[in-house]
Amino acid sequence: MKNWINNFLKPKIKSLFKKRSSLLKEALWESCEECKTLIIKDELVKNLWVCPKCNSHKRKVEPRDRFSIFFDDASFEILDQPMSKNDDPIKFVAKKKYSDQLKEARKKTGQPDSILVAHGKLDGMEVTCAAMSFSFIGGSLSVNSGEAFVNGAAYAIKNRTPLVVFSASGGARMQENLLALSQMTRTTLAVHELKKKNIPYFVIACHPTSGGVTASFASGLADIYMAEPGATVAFAGARVIKDTVKEEMPPNFQQSSWILEHGQLDMVVERKYLRGTISTLLQILLKKKESQVISETETDDVESQINTETSKSQSA
């Protein structure tokens, strides 16, 4: 009897208490990735997912949380986005089926793909905003997320609102092969349409922004291109570049501060100042663009124009 208590019952009770304690800790606390400080989750949310000790900006800020921080009174409307009928066009299989990866990502994030687009007000100004979820297969650019971006750009043009994008991505989604890469062209053409219609376009590069996303819509194509502190902004990874050029990279290579020093960003802005900074810049740009009249016919069927231009570029 004594052996049974010592060998089975006591370890079982300890295991249950340990598991409960671990779950409680996970629910109430968050560990900073940089300084390893334990932070009460409620305090982290109040501080806009920025560590109060080391000021590191957390990358796992989901689109709906971005919108809540960005829009007046945390009030916004998620736009409906068109979805492809075939989620797995090339039937991709690696360690697991791509179709299963999509199901898991949708369940985890509660969104159809890596980009969500919303409409709301920023200091009273009507603004369209797109945000990427790095939790959705690394924020990768797919056919559906490309369509969401184009649809968001078309909405911004139709409603004469600025388009503000929060990017966080590892690049084009390899599970969709060339179909994902073609979204680089489509999203770039969508930005071109915004420029033709004199619609302000801002990009905020969050950690990390890389690959095909950096090479298309999340780039210097923006009227204002900014980044959060500590964000990695790159096309190829530092390790790939190091192995290619056979040289050591600077300690802060590809971080937003280094990118700013080398002229590829307009500014680096802390999360708590983003709303105010974007609002001020938009007010300046919108006053300038008020004198530039846009005819109604120019805003018709933007998505059709983008698709036509994409077909031309691909056939060439």
Side-chain angles (χ1 to χ4, degrees):
M1 183 71 176
K2 189 176 180 180
N3 286 340
W4 180 80
I5 291 171
N6 289 334
N7 295 337
F8 178 77
L9 192 59
K10 283 185 178 178
K12 190 72 173 176
I13 292 169
K14 283 182 181 178
S15 173
L16 287 171
F17 273 109
K18 188 176 180 182
K19 191 177 289 184
R20 184 180 176 186
S21 174
S22 176
L23 289 170
L24 194 64
K25 182 179 175 182
E26 187 180 338
L28 298 176
W29 299 82
E30 180 93 13
S31 177
C32 176
E33 296 165 1
E34 295 297 323
C35 67
K36 309 303 178 187
T37 300
L38 278 177
I39 312 158
I40 298 173
K41 278 197 174 179
D42 285 348
E43 292 299 318
L44 191 62
V45 171
K46 286 178 185 176
N47 206 40
L48 308 182
W49 289 271
V50 177
C51 177
K53 184 175 180 181
C54 69
N55 202 43
S56 68
H57 287 51
K58 306 301 166 195
R59 75 179 178 188
K60 292 181 181 178
V61 182
E62 296 304 315
R64 286 182 176 85
D65 296 323
R66 290 272 180 201
F67 299 148
S68 294
I69 295 170
F70 182 70
F71 288 118
D72 293 350
D73 304 317
S75 178
F76 56 89
E77 178 190 354
I78 301 287
L79 303 185
D80 291 332
Q81 59 190 65
M83 296 288 289
S84 170
K85 291 180 181 178
N86 186 2
D87 273 344
D88 189 3
I90 63 171
K91 307 300 178 189
F92 185 90
V93 179
K95 289 184 178 179
K96 61 172 69 175
K97 291 180 180 178
Y98 175 46
S99 55
D100 291 338
Q101 283 184 288
L102 284 171
K103 287 176 187 175
E104 289 173 14
R106 284 168 180 159
K107 184 178 179 181
K108 180 181 179 181
T109 62
Q111 57 187 66
D113 215 282
S114 60
I115 295 179
L116 275 188
V117 184
H119 173 263
K121 291 185 178 181
L122 174 65
D123 288 341
M125 294 178 289
E126 299 286 341
V127 177
T128 303
C129 181
M132 304 186 76
S133 169
F134 195 78
S135 300
F136 198 107
I137 314 181
S140 47
L141 181 63
S142 66
V143 170
N144 284 326
S145 54
E147 194 63 37
F149 182 90
V150 170
N151 189 57
Y155 182 90
I157 292 170
K158 183 178 179 180
N159 294 277
R160 311 285 178 82
T161 69
L163 178 59
V164 176
V165 176
F166 290 88
S167 62
S169 175
R173 192 172 299 168
M174 67 175 186
Q175 294 91 330
E176 294 184 14
N177 207 285
L178 291 174
L179 292 170
L181 290 175
S182 69
Q183 303 312 306
M184 293 171 63
T185 307
R186 296 190 73 236
T187 53
T188 301
L189 287 167
V191 174
H192 182 61
E193 290 298 317
L194 289 166
K195 290 181 174 294
K196 279 168 59 178
K197 310 303 186 293
N198 294 310
I199 303 293
Y201 177 60
F202 286 15
V203 171
I204 301 90
C206 307
H207 181 69
T209 297
S210 59
V213 170
T214 311
S216 54
F217 64 89
S219 66
L221 291 174
D223 296 309
I224 302 292
Y225 188 30
M226 59 182 81
E228 291 187 333
T232 296
V233 184
F235 177 67
R239 190 168 51 188
V240 173
I241 295 172
K242 179 184 173 182
D243 290 344
T244 303
V245 301
K246 309 299 181 186
E247 289 184 17
E248 289 296 323
M249 299 296 109
N252 62 342
F253 181 62
Q254 294 183 331
Q255 286 188 15
S256 53
S257 57
W258 188 90
I259 300 292
L260 179 65
E261 288 172 12
H262 290 77
Q264 291 178 283
L265 285 170
D266 294 310
M267 58 185 76
V268 174
V269 184
E270 289 187 41
R271 196 171 288 160
K272 61 185 175 182
Y273 300 126
L274 276 172
R275 256 180 61 87
T277 303
I278 294 169
S279 175
T280 301
L281 290 168
L282 281 178
Q283 288 176 53
I284 294 168
L285 278 178
L286 287 171
K287 282 181 181 177
K288 182 180 178 183
K289 292 176 185 293
E290 276 176 4
S291 60
Q292 298 173 338
V293 180
I294 308 168
S295 68
E296 290 296 328
T297 54
E298 284 183 317
T299 65
D300 292 342
D301 204 5
V302 175
E303 289 184 78
S304 178
Q305 292 176 38
I306 292 167
N307 288 330
T308 301
E309 292 296 325
T310 306
S311 300
K312 285 180 182 177
S313 63
Q314 289 174 345
S315 61

